[in-house]
Amino acid sequence: MKLLSGRYCKKLADELAKKLDFKCASSITETFEDQELRVQINEPLYREDVVIIQSTSKPANDNLMELLLLVDAAKRAGAARITAIIPYFGYSRQDRPSYEFGPISASLVANLIETVGVNNIITIDLHSKQIEGFFKIGIQNLSSIKIFDSVIKNSSGAVVVSPDIGGIFRAREFSKKFNLDLAVINKSRGVNGQCSMNEIIGNVENKNCILIDDIVDTAGTICGAAKLLREKGAKKITAYITHAVLSGKAITLIENSQIDEFFISDTIQHEKLPDKFQIVQITDVLVNALKKISQHRSKH
Ligand code: R5P
């Protein structure tokens, strides 16, 4: 297998290549003056099984386009099969129309990726499971439990909390796995996008709370949830969030929040984050997923 990566995923690609003893194929991506992208793969990929790794995180449209261009270039260079590892799947929050006759943007993105010629996909903690149904090709949507499993320890007696109703399925998986109680916050968003939260379904008084979410973007959701939990008498508050988008003032908000411990994964690469951010690596989870694919292929 040969590994290719987008511009912002090089570190992850190197770690993966090292663990799997794969070669990273050399490629470059340039930006023209008008922001058009140009990719170039510097070696033939004839009959190769190619793995392309790219999170479609900020800048979401550039990274998505870079992924599509890399797939097209790999196919033209002769690749036999292409596996796209998309640790963070941008546009996943737009998995249903948000107004009458509105677009289903996550479905459009799935179509683009499929049409360009990807054979199968590995991704992590999609915003909702229904997105898997937007693809006709094979997709492994790896649960965030696989990532945070090793760090959620000594949690007996704690309560797993979903910061909104939409996240209840994810939180319930954690509560089942660790045999913990479950609570959910009733969140709504105003016209300006501001979160409002004032009700918790479940008991959090004098309990350690484990907040589970897929994305932290502006951090309004997670910090608002932590504030409410504290007001309702929660003891220690720990957050486990898969995708650290971290827009605007998110980092400062989290640093000054009621959250005692803040865990994220490295599906999205950041240059430097303050000490409060504890980063759990996804490499081993991806290695196992890739091994599964190659075992499956050698059997058929
Ligand atoms: C929403 O449904 C998601 O699961 C996250 O809770 C949301 O995207 C977080 O966004 P923010 O950090 O901007 O509140």
Side-chain angles (χ1 to χ4, degrees), residues 25-59:
S26 128
S27 70
I28 48 166
T29 303
E30 298 166 325
T31 307
F32 289 174
E33 277 299 310
D34 66 352
Q35 303 303 305
E36 238 180 62
L37 296 183
R38 172 184 177 273
V39 308
Q40 179 173 329
I41 300 174
N42 296 321
E43 54 196 272
L45 297 171
Y46 190 59
R47 288 195 175 164
E48 296 276 7
D49 251 353
V50 177
V51 176
I52 301 179
I53 181 158
Q54 173 78 312
S55 269
T56 46
S57 50
K58 202 162 53 182

Side-chain angles (χ1 to χ4, degrees), residues 207-211 222-223 226-227 229-230 234-240 254-263 275-278:
K207 305 256 186 174
N208 291 335
C209 291
I210 294 178
L211 270 166
I222 207 69
C223 295
K227 182 169 173 278
L229 287 174
R230 193 68 85 206
K235 288 205 291 193
K236 186 175 172 192
I237 302 172
T238 311
Y240 296 90
I254 291 161
E255 281 201 292
N256 300 327
S257 72
Q258 293 291 333
I259 303 166
D260 299 299
E261 282 196 291
F262 195 77
F263 288 88
D275 291 345
K276 186 163 184 179
F277 291 74
Q278 304 194 50

Side-chain angles (χ1 to χ4, degrees), residues 93 127 164 187 189 195 213-221:
R93 285 174 284 186
H127 181 62
D164 53 30
K187 171 182 107 175
R189 277 198 198 265
C195 298
D213 208 354
D214 58 333
I215 296 170
V216 50
D217 187 356
T218 63
T221 300

